[in-house]
């Protein structure tokens, strides 16, 4: 299994995803500031992985010195705020920080080593849970397809975006294990090319057949090939099923609806934000213009060209055939489906 993140004593080692697929470089992160930078600069990315990375970031935060309980709590609060500011769209970040806050409160007032050890146990638990969740998503999602199939996906919702196995790619991996993947159509996913750089790398590693396409080719592929379904990951799912995911997901959902192709979202229940009624309440991160203007260190347009660079868009619930979670498959009306899944959890 691809390990995008590994925790050690006083450090966390990650694959620098900004360098893939041409260079497989591992970075050692030893401070909460370095973790925040790695998340912001997308050296690690993917909603589930961001959440777990932030959990380990809180462990690293307490590697520093703290003379007493008051100073320790102040350090914890500042570190939590720093990590919370890195990526506003992915709800798993805030979910994981909330889980870590609960663990911190359980031992508040204890000595530094006790608190640090307790937080490390909590972060390790989140790591293991994520892998189990992803594998369950894969099993549940595979039941939606019959026979050998062609699947389309966007961005990277695989082992590199999680602690292992993946969400959207978890379903694809399960289908491949069952001998039922004939081809995966991988959208390149401009501007950062997570599909071209990361998803193809993962599929190649596992020997899963795939074909890379530019984002603008998706409609032609849907029109001329037997695509059994589109599977996307998610960074935040509203209570009504509206789903924020990597930019381009909205367009794919519209195309899939036009061609009568099922459009599925694969995401853990931790990505469902029942506090947000619909997609209009999801904050969409905007990133720097050079992600579009510059490729491999070279300008591909007029330097300084005005740029609009939203990192995510929102697919409306009416375009989503089902949302695949670790506890089962949710369908419209999503609010009721989610309530039932959470009750069963």
């Amino acid at each position: 299994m691809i390990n995008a993140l590994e925790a050690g004593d006083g450090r966390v080692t990650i694959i620098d995803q900004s360098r893939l697929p041409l260079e497989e470089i591992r970075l050692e992160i030893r401070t909460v500031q370095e973790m925040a930078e790695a998340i912001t600069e997308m050296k690690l990315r993917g909603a589930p992985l961001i959440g777990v990375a932030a959990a380990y970031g809180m462990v690293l935060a307490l590697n520093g010195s703290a003379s007493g309980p008051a100073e320790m709590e102040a350090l914890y609060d500042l570190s939590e705020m720093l990590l919370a500011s890195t990526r506003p769209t992915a709800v798993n970040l805030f979910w994981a920080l909330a889980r870590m806050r609960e663990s911190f409160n359980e031992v508040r007032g204890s000595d530094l080593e006790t608190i640090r050890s307790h937080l490390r146990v909590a972060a390790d638990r989140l790591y293991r849970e994520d892998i189990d969740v992803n594998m369950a998503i894969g099993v549940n999602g595979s039941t939606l397809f019959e026979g050998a199939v062609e699947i389309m996906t966007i961005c990277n919702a695989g082992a590199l975006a999680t602690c292992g196995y993946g969400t959207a790619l978890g379903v694809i991996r399960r289908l491949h294990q069952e001998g039922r993947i004939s081809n995966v159509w991988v959208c390149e996913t401009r501007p950062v090319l997570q599909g071209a750089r990361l998803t193809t790398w993962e599929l190649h590693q596992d020997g899963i057949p795939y074909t890379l396409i530019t984002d603008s080719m998706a409609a032609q592929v849907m029109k001329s090939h037997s695509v059994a379904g589109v599977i996307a990951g998610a960074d935040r799912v509203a209570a009504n099923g509206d789903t924020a995911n990597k930019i381009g997901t909205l367009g794919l959902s519209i195309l899939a609806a036009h061609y009568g192709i099922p459009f599925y979202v694969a995401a853990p229940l931790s990505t469902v934000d029942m506090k947000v009624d619909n997609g209009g309440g999801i904050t969409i991160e905007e990133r720097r213009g050079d992600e579009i203007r510059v490729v491999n260190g070279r300008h591909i347009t007029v330097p300084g060209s005005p740029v609009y660079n939203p990192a995510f868009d929102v697919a409306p619930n009416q375009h989503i055939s089902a949302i695949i979670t670790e506890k089962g498959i949710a369908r419209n009306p999503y609010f009721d489906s989610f309530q039932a899944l959470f009750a069963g959890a």
Side-chain angles (χ1 to χ4, degrees):
M1 186 180 293
I2 297 167
N3 294 317
L5 178 152
E6 295 178 313
D9 292 332
R11 61 177 171 76
V12 175
T13 303
I14 66 167
I15 296 176
D16 184 350
Q17 297 186 36
S18 68
R19 308 289 287 272
L20 288 173
L22 301 181
E23 296 178 287
E24 186 176 338
I25 295 174
R26 294 187 178 268
L27 302 176
E28 282 197 356
I29 295 175
R30 294 184 176 273
T31 68
V32 65
Q33 291 82 7
E34 290 175 353
M35 183 64 80
E37 179 184 353
I39 295 172
T40 302
E41 297 300 318
M42 296 177 65
K43 294 176 182 179
L44 62 85
R45 25 69 56 206
L49 185 62
I50 287 171
V52 174
Y56 281 115
M58 294 309 303
V59 179
L60 295 177
L62 296 189
N63 283 343
S65 59
S67 60
E71 183 181 348
M72 191 185 308
E73 291 208 20
L75 176 62
Y76 191 96
D77 291 346
L78 287 172
S79 300
E80 186 180 61
M81 290 173 59
L82 173 65
L83 290 166
S85 68
T86 55
R87 302 294 303 274
T89 302
V91 71
N92 303 69
L93 169 64
F94 305 97
W95 171 83
L97 288 175
R99 288 275 298 266
M100 294 301 286
R101 171 63 73 168
E102 290 174 4
S103 295
F104 178 73
N105 288 340
E106 290 170 357
V107 289
R108 174 183 262 120
S110 301
D111 62 273
L112 177 60
E113 189 54 42
T114 297
I115 294 176
R116 185 190 295 122
S117 176
H118 195 68
L119 291 181
R120 173 62 191 271
V121 169
D124 288 344
R125 186 183 305 118
L126 291 180
Y127 184 97
R128 292 191 301 270
E129 285 178 4
D130 185 66
I131 296 174
D132 292 341
V133 161
N134 294 339
M135 297 188 78
I137 288 172
V139 170
N140 292 337
S142 68
T143 65
L144 295 169
F145 301 95
E146 296 182 2
V149 292
E150 298 182 31
I151 301 293
M152 183 176 290
T153 191
I154 186 170
C155 197
N156 172 262
L160 290 171
T162 63
C163 296
Y165 206 69
T167 53
L169 287 195
V171 178
I172 290 169
R173 280 193 166 91
R174 178 70 184 194
L175 289 168
H176 176 65
Q177 290 168 349
E178 296 173 359
R180 297 203 287 130
I181 286 288
S182 58
N183 188 49
V184 180
W185 295 97
V186 180
C187 295
E188 63 175 350
T189 322
R190 278 281 284 150
V192 186
L193 301 173
Q194 293 95 328
R197 296 188 303 105
L198 307 180
T199 295
T200 59
W201 184 78
E202 284 200 39
L203 296 175
H204 177 75
Q205 297 285 317
D206 284 0
I208 301 174
Y210 69 89
T211 303
L212 176 65
I213 59 173
T214 67
D215 298 335
S216 57
M217 296 173 184
Q220 176 62 22
V221 171
M222 290 183 186
K223 178 181 177 182
S224 58
H225 291 78
S226 300
V227 179
V230 180
I231 309 178
D235 285 80
R236 190 184 297 247
V237 180
N240 74 335
D242 291 350
T243 295
N245 190 51
K246 187 54 56 184
I247 191 73
T249 304
L250 168 61
L252 279 187
S253 75
I254 294 169
L255 289 172
H258 177 78
Y259 286 108
I261 296 171
F263 184 93
Y264 300 115
V265 170
L269 282 174
S270 59
T271 306
V272 178
D273 189 350
M274 298 298 283
K275 297 178 182 177
V276 174
D277 293 336
N278 55 60
I282 299 176
T283 299
I284 300 299
E285 175 187 359
E286 291 189 33
R287 295 183 61 82
R288 61 183 183 275
D290 274 354
E291 285 187 346
I292 293 177
R293 290 187 290 253
V294 178
V295 175
N296 290 333
R298 300 184 64 181
H299 278 85
I300 60 169
T301 186
V302 176
S305 291
V307 165
Y308 173 53
N309 186 19
F312 305 92
D313 54 25
V314 177
N317 61 12
Q318 64 266 29
H319 291 165
I320 299 172
S321 306
I323 297 177
I324 309 160
T325 80
E326 71 273 24
K327 295 297 181 181
I329 296 172
R331 298 184 186 273
N332 238 336
Y334 286 106
F335 182 87
D336 296 336
S337 288
F338 292 148
Q339 291 278 52
L341 291 176
F342 278 116

